[in-house]
Amino acid sequence: MRTVPVLWMLLLVIAASMKTYAQAQPSIIPGEIWPDTEGKPINAHGGGILYYKDTYYWYGEIKKDSTWRVPGSTWENYRVNAGGISCYSSKDLLHWKYEGVALASEKTDSTADLHISKVIERPKVIYNRKTGKFVMWMHIDSQDYLYARSGVAVSDKPEGPFQYMGSVRPNGNMARDMTIFQDDDGKAYHFYSSEENQTMHICELTADYLSHTSNDRRILIQQAREAPAVVKYNKRFYLFSSGCTGWSPNAASYATADSIMGEWTQHQNPCQGKDADSTFHAQSTFVLPVQGQQNIFIFMADRWNKTDLESSRYVWLPLIFDAESMPHILWKDQWTIE
Ligand code: DGJ
């Protein structure tokens, strides 16, 4: 009689440990499904990361349900209904807890920027120490990509909910793929692909990060770069980007500048090894400095699955600067931060 409960206990222990095993992510595995702490695939594409009070917050596009091609489009304009922006939190960059929808899309008003029929992409969140607000900027567009604007939303908490404030064309310019860079002095800059994606712009944001100043500079003129991701290393600024080939991958490149509003010089592909010419079948979205480490950065990219966008994957790779401060991104089948 006593063996039955013991057997049940044993089975329960085995089942519990199997569940933990299924959910645990022992290392970063680029290109594989990345489960959150509940075992569900992380849904945070074109994302960016905020580090706040010992915690990393990952914000990204929610891509769910079926993918369809915009009728009449002359290019591979595949879309899902805009699902809004998700938020995940983590202490170790490996185990991510789903915090919910940080910015919801709009189901009824088809004229709204956040309507499910629109494009809501590449969210980036920074914290404003002076106002105590979390500020999210993102690319807002119409299905044909002619709206070309930047949207802004605000929250009192990192996980949201964020309140949408509206969208702009910075200083009257078209604005598509984008990132936000917050410098050590607290100033924040909006990098955006402009002028029909031919030329990148950098614009300094106002002190509250909610609008654009007139300090707006054209860089990488006529070089057709998008998917910007910016990092500062050894007092120099690095801007990683992709070419403009829709959802299909291409070779990354990077540009450098000694002053953010100064001269930017374009360099070659920082990726090395097999599949470097397609950025390992992925496209840049963010470069994350690992807290407490001198020379460890994570190059975050999206491996888009254009005909099934929900199945797009994340390619996170170590980005290392060499003795000449040149960046290198190398493929790893799997790796850990240490
Ligand atoms: C490339 C951009 O980088 C993506 O964010 C997305 O807008 C696709 N184009 C759409 O084709």
Side-chain angles (χ1 to χ4, degrees), residues 68 70 79-83 105-120 141-144:
W68 39 275
V70 175
R79 302 233 54 81
V80 288
N81 278 347
S105 54
E106 158 70 41
K107 295 213 170 44
T108 45
D109 179 5
S110 63
T111 65
D113 278 3
L114 301 183
H115 186 251
I116 51 172
S117 62
K118 299 282 171 56
V119 170
I120 309 173
D141 228 316
S142 44
Q143 280 178 20
D144 56 10

Side-chain angles (χ1 to χ4, degrees), residues 154-176:
V154 179
S155 170
D156 292 325
K157 293 181 292 169
E159 68 274 21
F162 281 75
Q163 195 199 340
Y164 190 65
M165 315 283 285
S167 67
V168 287
R169 279 195 167 189
N171 293 302
N173 303 312
M174 294 178 95
R176 292 200 183 110

Side-chain angles (χ1 to χ4, degrees), residues 2-308:
R2 286 191 58 205
T3 55
V4 176
V6 171
L7 202 63
W8 272 112
M9 285 286 281
L10 201 64
L11 281 171
L12 274 173
V13 169
I14 291 169
S17 63
M18 277 174 70
K19 194 164 174 255
T20 316
Y21 180 75
Q23 289 173 9
Q25 181 85 355
S27 53
I28 293 174
I29 311 175
E32 287 300 312
I33 289 177
W34 195 337
D36 66 13
T37 50
E38 286 169 13
K40 298 188 182 137
I42 292 174
N43 196 332
H45 308 275
I49 289 186
L50 165 76
Y51 183 72
Y52 177 73
K53 290 198 174 163
D54 299 330
T55 303
Y56 294 96
Y57 293 89
W58 178 358
Y59 304 89
E61 304 155 18
I62 301 171
K63 297 216 179 290
K64 264 187 88 59
D65 302 329
S66 57
T67 299
W68 39 275
R69 189 168 173 171
V70 175
S73 61
T74 51
W75 56 289
E76 291 186 310
N77 191 2
Y78 290 103
R79 302 233 54 81
V80 288
N81 278 347
I85 307 300
S86 58
C87 177
Y88 294 80
S89 67
S90 174
K91 297 278 185 198
D92 62 5
L93 292 168
L94 209 50
H95 303 93
W96 291 93
K97 174 176 175 278
Y98 181 55
E99 296 285 355
V101 176
L103 180 70
S105 54
E106 158 70 41
K107 295 213 170 44
T108 45
D109 179 5
S110 63
T111 65
D113 278 3
L114 301 183
H115 186 251
I116 51 172
S117 62
K118 299 282 171 56
V119 170
I120 309 173
E121 289 180 344
R122 298 191 176 270
K124 305 289 175 283
V125 175
I126 51 175
Y127 176 65
N128 190 308
R129 267 190 229 117
K130 287 187 199 135
T131 62
K133 302 279 185 197
F134 297 85
V135 179
M136 176 191 291
W137 280 93
M138 71 213 91
H139 170 200
I140 296 288
D141 228 316
S142 44
Q143 280 178 20
D144 56 10
Y145 281 85
L146 293 177
Y147 196 45
R149 293 167 81 89
S150 304
V152 62
V154 179
S155 170
D156 292 325
K157 293 181 292 169
E159 68 274 21
F162 281 75
Q163 195 199 340
Y164 190 65
M165 315 283 285
S167 67
V168 287
R169 279 195 167 189
N171 293 302
N173 303 312
M174 294 178 95
R176 292 200 183 110
D177 276 14
M178 52 142 283
T179 196
I180 300 287
F181 177 77
Q182 188 180 36
D183 208 349
D184 311 323
D185 60 5
K187 286 187 180 172
Y189 300 84
H190 182 199
F191 287 66
Y192 60 98
S193 298
S194 191
E195 306 177 31
E196 299 288 1
N197 285 358
Q198 294 308 298
T199 294
M200 187 81 67
H201 280 234
I202 310 175
C203 187
E204 185 183 334
L205 295 177
T206 51
D208 59 9
Y209 301 163
L210 298 178
S211 355
H212 292 80
T213 67
S214 57
N215 189 14
D216 192 312
R217 184 184 162 86
R218 300 172 77 219
I219 63 162
L220 313 187
I221 294 165
Q222 291 296 319
Q223 294 194 35
R225 308 301 299 172
E226 63 181 5
V230 180
V231 72
K232 190 177 184 180
Y233 175 74
N234 262 352
K235 299 190 180 143
R236 182 177 282 173
F237 299 89
Y238 294 77
L239 161 59
F240 298 83
S241 66
S242 76
C244 299
T245 52
W247 298 111
S248 303
N250 55 61
S253 70
Y254 73 100
T256 53
D258 292 327
S259 139
I260 197 160
M261 282 298 188
E263 287 304 317
W264 284 82
T265 310
Q266 183 73 301
H267 307 275
Q268 291 309 305
N269 190 348
C271 302
Q272 285 164 19
K274 190 174 174 287
D275 298 328
D277 56 353
S278 68
T279 318
F280 312 109
H281 306 287
Q283 185 186 31
S284 46
T285 185
F286 200 72
V287 176
L288 175 69
V290 177
Q291 292 300 312
Q293 308 283 347
Q294 280 296 309
N295 185 8
I296 301 189
F297 298 84
I298 301 178
F299 177 77
M300 292 168 51
D302 295 283
R303 184 175 286 174
W304 301 115
N305 182 338
K306 61 185 166 195
T307 54
D308 180 11

